[in-house]
């Protein structure tokens, strides 16, 4: 997802943030294949949190000069100079913000264009289903791995019991253990 966004929008960095309306916070998703999450930040904190709280796409030129800018949330990597940020909340079917996509530093330009904004807004209307599917698939994959382990354990138990000549032998074995 990140490589595609960088190529499509000609920018230096992109990040995906997960939003929890229940705990009123958001955090960077380091990897869609991992349940690890970054440091939770309150909705409304920084430029990204502001965009999430307003449920609206925002483009910022020279974002570090904004009173809303917070390096903890708005800088993708330490010590990088930011000349532009495009933040787009991703809403679910009920209009709740579930994720946010952030693009940083438009290549060969000081800012993201209106066309960039419109394109990201259109794409974001489909991102919720895609991102949720990837996360659910990863969760299912983890469940399958766990189930396979349980099935292997059960298979080993069945193999063990099949070699025992009678139920009395099992009782004798359990008493010796």
């Amino acid at each position: 997802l990140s490589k595609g966004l960088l190529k499509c929008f000609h920018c230096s960095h992109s990040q995906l943030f997960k939003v929890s309306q229940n705990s009123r916070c958001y955090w960077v998703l380091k990897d869609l294949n991992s349940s690890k999450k970054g440091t939770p930040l309150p909705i409304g904190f920084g430029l990204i949190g502001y965009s999430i709280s307003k449920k609206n796409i925002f483009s910022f030129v020279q974002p570090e000069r904004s009173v809303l800018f917070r390096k903890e949330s708005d800088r993708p990597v330490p010590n990088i100079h930011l000349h532009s940020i495009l933040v787009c909340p991703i809403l679910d079917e009920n209009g709740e913000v579930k994720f946010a996509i952030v693009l940083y530093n438009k290549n060969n330009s000081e800012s993201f264009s209106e066309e960039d904004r419109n394109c990201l807004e259109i794409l974001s209307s489909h991102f919720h289903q895609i991102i949720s599917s990837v996360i659910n698939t990863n969760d299912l994959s983890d469940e399958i791995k766990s189930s396979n382990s349980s099935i292997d354990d059960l298979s080993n138990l069945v193999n063990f019991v099949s070699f025992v000549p009678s139920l009395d032998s099992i009782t004798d074995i359990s008493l010796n253990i």
Side-chain angles (χ1 to χ4, degrees):
L1 181 64
S2 182
K3 289 178 185 176
L5 289 170
L6 296 177
K7 185 176 179 181
C8 179
F9 290 96
H10 307 286
C11 56
S12 67
H13 295 81
S14 69
Q15 285 188 312
L16 179 65
F17 290 83
K18 174 75 173 108
V19 179
S20 171
Q21 295 297 335
N22 293 340
S23 59
R24 303 282 305 143
C25 66
Y26 68 101
W27 58 90
V28 68
L29 276 177
K30 307 245 184 238
D31 183 0
L32 282 180
N33 296 322
S34 171
S35 59
K36 294 178 185 175
K37 65 181 186 180
T39 304
L41 301 162
I43 292 176
F45 183 82
L47 299 170
I48 297 166
Y50 178 76
S51 177
I52 291 168
S53 71
K54 297 300 181 187
K55 297 183 180 183
N56 206 347
I57 187 169
F58 286 100
S59 181
F60 300 93
V61 178
Q62 297 298 322
E64 294 167 332
R65 293 183 180 174
S66 170
V67 296
L68 295 173
F69 181 81
R70 298 291 180 264
K71 64 182 178 184
E72 302 87 351
S73 61
D74 299 325
R75 192 180 305 276
V77 292
N79 303 322
I80 184 174
H81 171 71
L82 298 175
H83 58 78
S84 57
I85 294 180
L86 181 58
V87 183
C88 185
I90 300 173
L91 308 177
D92 68 6
E93 56 279 349
N94 299 319
E96 292 294 320
V97 180
K98 295 298 183 180
F99 302 95
I101 289 182
V102 185
L103 306 177
Y104 302 91
N105 291 343
K106 176 76 172 178
N107 295 336
N108 303 318
S109 178
E110 286 298 311
S111 65
F112 289 93
S113 67
E114 190 65 30
E115 184 179 332
D116 291 328
R117 286 176 54 117
N118 293 337
C119 185
L120 187 59
E121 198 164 26
I122 290 167
L123 287 174
S124 73
S125 66
H126 302 287
F127 280 159
H128 177 258
Q129 295 91 347
I130 294 167
I131 295 167
S132 294
S133 293
V134 169
I135 290 172
N136 289 338
T137 300
N138 291 334
D139 290 346
L140 182 59
S141 178
D142 291 344
E143 286 295 322
I144 289 171
K145 288 176 189 171
S146 175
S147 295
N148 284 342
S149 176
S150 297
I151 290 170
D152 288 343
D153 291 344
L154 185 58
S155 177
N156 289 337
L157 182 61
V158 168
N159 285 337
F160 171 75
V161 170
S162 67
F163 287 111
V164 177
S166 70
L167 289 178
D168 292 334
S169 300
I170 293 177
T171 307
D172 293 342
I173 291 171
S174 64
L175 291 176
N176 290 332
I177 295 178

PDB file of all heavy atoms in Angstrom, residues 107-119:
ATOM      1  N   ASN A 107       6.990  15.424  -4.148  1.00  0.00           N
ATOM      2  CA  ASN A 107       8.223  15.574  -4.929  1.00  0.00           C
ATOM      3  C   ASN A 107       8.065  16.688  -5.961  1.00  0.00           C
ATOM      4  O   ASN A 107       7.015  16.813  -6.582  1.00  0.00           O
ATOM      5  CB  ASN A 107       8.576  14.269  -5.652  1.00  0.00           C
ATOM      6  CG  ASN A 107       8.908  13.149  -4.673  1.00  0.00           C
ATOM      7  OD1 ASN A 107       9.308  13.379  -3.543  1.00  0.00           O
ATOM      8  ND2 ASN A 107       8.715  11.918  -5.124  1.00  0.00           N
ATOM      9  N   ASN A 108       9.109  17.473  -6.141  1.00  0.00           N
ATOM     10  CA  ASN A 108       9.157  18.530  -7.151  1.00  0.00           C
ATOM     11  C   ASN A 108       8.043  19.568  -7.026  1.00  0.00           C
ATOM     12  O   ASN A 108       7.615  20.161  -8.009  1.00  0.00           O
ATOM     13  CB  ASN A 108       9.139  17.930  -8.566  1.00  0.00           C
ATOM     14  CG  ASN A 108      10.278  16.959  -8.785  1.00  0.00           C
ATOM     15  OD1 ASN A 108      11.405  17.220  -8.373  1.00  0.00           O
ATOM     16  ND2 ASN A 108       9.987  15.833  -9.397  1.00  0.00           N
ATOM     17  N   SER A 109       7.546  19.744  -5.813  1.00  0.00           N
ATOM     18  CA  SER A 109       6.520  20.752  -5.578  1.00  0.00           C
ATOM     19  C   SER A 109       6.510  21.090  -4.085  1.00  0.00           C
ATOM     20  O   SER A 109       6.857  20.251  -3.258  1.00  0.00           O
ATOM     21  CB  SER A 109       5.152  20.226  -6.003  1.00  0.00           C
ATOM     22  OG  SER A 109       4.147  21.169  -5.735  1.00  0.00           O
ATOM     23  N   GLU A 110       6.091  22.295  -3.787  1.00  0.00           N
ATOM     24  CA  GLU A 110       6.006  22.707  -2.380  1.00  0.00           C
ATOM     25  C   GLU A 110       4.732  22.209  -1.705  1.00  0.00           C
ATOM     26  O   GLU A 110       4.636  22.234  -0.487  1.00  0.00           O
ATOM     27  CB  GLU A 110       6.082  24.242  -2.274  1.00  0.00           C
ATOM     28  CG  GLU A 110       7.479  24.785  -2.512  1.00  0.00           C
ATOM     29  CD  GLU A 110       8.484  24.274  -1.484  1.00  0.00           C
ATOM     30  OE1 GLU A 110       8.201  24.346  -0.273  1.00  0.00           O
ATOM     31  OE2 GLU A 110       9.551  23.792  -1.906  1.00  0.00           O
ATOM     32  N   SER A 111       3.754  21.771  -2.499  1.00  0.00           N
ATOM     33  CA  SER A 111       2.488  21.343  -1.896  1.00  0.00           C
ATOM     34  C   SER A 111       1.805  20.285  -2.752  1.00  0.00           C
ATOM     35  O   SER A 111       2.129  20.098  -3.927  1.00  0.00           O
ATOM     36  CB  SER A 111       1.556  22.549  -1.734  1.00  0.00           C
ATOM     37  OG  SER A 111       1.197  23.053  -3.002  1.00  0.00           O
ATOM     38  N   PHE A 112       0.853  19.616  -2.151  1.00  0.00           N
ATOM     39  CA  PHE A 112       0.007  18.670  -2.872  1.00  0.00           C
ATOM     40  C   PHE A 112      -1.057  19.471  -3.622  1.00  0.00           C
ATOM     41  O   PHE A 112      -1.555  20.482  -3.123  1.00  0.00           O
ATOM     42  CB  PHE A 112      -0.640  17.674  -1.906  1.00  0.00           C
ATOM     43  CG  PHE A 112       0.340  16.685  -1.343  1.00  0.00           C
ATOM     44  CD1 PHE A 112       0.971  16.925  -0.137  1.00  0.00           C
ATOM     45  CD2 PHE A 112       0.637  15.524  -2.035  1.00  0.00           C
ATOM     46  CE1 PHE A 112       1.888  16.028   0.384  1.00  0.00           C
ATOM     47  CE2 PHE A 112       1.550  14.609  -1.526  1.00  0.00           C
ATOM     48  CZ  PHE A 112       2.181  14.866  -0.316  1.00  0.00           C
ATOM     49  N   SER A 113      -1.405  19.004  -4.798  1.00  0.00           N
ATOM     50  CA  SER A 113      -2.358  19.727  -5.646  1.00  0.00           C
ATOM     51  C   SER A 113      -3.800  19.394  -5.265  1.00  0.00           C
ATOM     52  O   SER A 113      -4.068  18.433  -4.527  1.00  0.00           O
ATOM     53  CB  SER A 113      -2.120  19.370  -7.112  1.00  0.00           C
ATOM     54  OG  SER A 113      -2.461  18.006  -7.338  1.00  0.00           O
ATOM     55  N   GLU A 114      -4.709  20.164  -5.824  1.00  0.00           N
ATOM     56  CA  GLU A 114      -6.133  19.885  -5.643  1.00  0.00           C
ATOM     57  C   GLU A 114      -6.470  18.521  -6.250  1.00  0.00           C
ATOM     58  O   GLU A 114      -7.285  17.776  -5.716  1.00  0.00           O
ATOM     59  CB  GLU A 114      -6.972  20.992  -6.297  1.00  0.00           C
ATOM     60  CG  GLU A 114      -8.436  20.920  -5.962  1.00  0.00           C
ATOM     61  CD  GLU A 114      -8.734  21.157  -4.483  1.00  0.00           C
ATOM     62  OE1 GLU A 114      -8.000  21.895  -3.809  1.00  0.00           O
ATOM     63  OE2 GLU A 114      -9.728  20.576  -3.997  1.00  0.00           O
ATOM     64  N   GLU A 115      -5.808  18.189  -7.351  1.00  0.00           N
ATOM     65  CA  GLU A 115      -5.998  16.881  -7.983  1.00  0.00           C
ATOM     66  C   GLU A 115      -5.552  15.756  -7.033  1.00  0.00           C
ATOM     67  O   GLU A 115      -6.222  14.725  -6.930  1.00  0.00           O
ATOM     68  CB  GLU A 115      -5.205  16.812  -9.289  1.00  0.00           C
ATOM     69  CG  GLU A 115      -5.425  15.536 -10.059  1.00  0.00           C
ATOM     70  CD  GLU A 115      -4.639  15.510 -11.368  1.00  0.00           C
ATOM     71  OE1 GLU A 115      -4.368  16.569 -11.933  1.00  0.00           O
ATOM     72  OE2 GLU A 115      -4.307  14.392 -11.793  1.00  0.00           O
ATOM     73  N   ASP A 116      -4.424  15.955  -6.332  1.00  0.00           N
ATOM     74  CA  ASP A 116      -3.965  14.974  -5.339  1.00  0.00           C
ATOM     75  C   ASP A 116      -5.020  14.791  -4.254  1.00  0.00           C
ATOM     76  O   ASP A 116      -5.333  13.664  -3.867  1.00  0.00           O
ATOM     77  CB  ASP A 116      -2.652  15.421  -4.693  1.00  0.00           C
ATOM     78  CG  ASP A 116      -1.470  15.398  -5.638  1.00  0.00           C
ATOM     79  OD1 ASP A 116      -1.439  14.545  -6.536  1.00  0.00           O
ATOM     80  OD2 ASP A 116      -0.566  16.248  -5.456  1.00  0.00           O
ATOM     81  N   ARG A 117      -5.532  15.899  -3.762  1.00  0.00           N
ATOM     82  CA  ARG A 117      -6.570  15.844  -2.707  1.00  0.00           C
ATOM     83  C   ARG A 117      -7.786  15.056  -3.182  1.00  0.00           C
ATOM     84  O   ARG A 117      -8.281  14.174  -2.480  1.00  0.00           O
ATOM     85  CB  ARG A 117      -7.000  17.253  -2.300  1.00  0.00           C
ATOM     86  CG  ARG A 117      -6.028  18.020  -1.476  1.00  0.00           C
ATOM     87  CD  ARG A 117      -6.547  19.429  -1.238  1.00  0.00           C
ATOM     88  NE  ARG A 117      -7.875  19.406  -0.662  1.00  0.00           N
ATOM     89  CZ  ARG A 117      -8.168  19.883   0.530  1.00  0.00           C
ATOM     90  NH1 ARG A 117      -7.238  20.432   1.276  1.00  0.00           N
ATOM     91  NH2 ARG A 117      -9.399  19.842   0.995  1.00  0.00           N
ATOM     92  N   ASN A 118      -8.276  15.402  -4.359  1.00  0.00           N
ATOM     93  CA  ASN A 118      -9.475  14.741  -4.887  1.00  0.00           C
ATOM     94  C   ASN A 118      -9.238  13.257  -5.123  1.00  0.00           C
ATOM     95  O   ASN A 118     -10.086  12.424  -4.803  1.00  0.00           O
ATOM     96  CB  ASN A 118      -9.930  15.418  -6.180  1.00  0.00           C
ATOM     97  CG  ASN A 118     -10.442  16.834  -5.944  1.00  0.00           C
ATOM     98  OD1 ASN A 118     -10.847  17.180  -4.846  1.00  0.00           O
ATOM     99  ND2 ASN A 118     -10.383  17.648  -6.980  1.00  0.00           N
ATOM    100  N   CYS A 119      -8.075  12.931  -5.679  1.00  0.00           N
ATOM    101  CA  CYS A 119      -7.748  11.532  -5.960  1.00  0.00           C
ATOM    102  C   CYS A 119      -7.653  10.725  -4.663  1.00  0.00           C
ATOM    103  O   CYS A 119      -8.210   9.627  -4.569  1.00  0.00           O
ATOM    104  CB  CYS A 119      -6.443  11.462  -6.740  1.00  0.00           C
ATOM    105  SG  CYS A 119      -6.008   9.803  -7.283  1.00  0.00           S
TER     106      CYS A 119
END
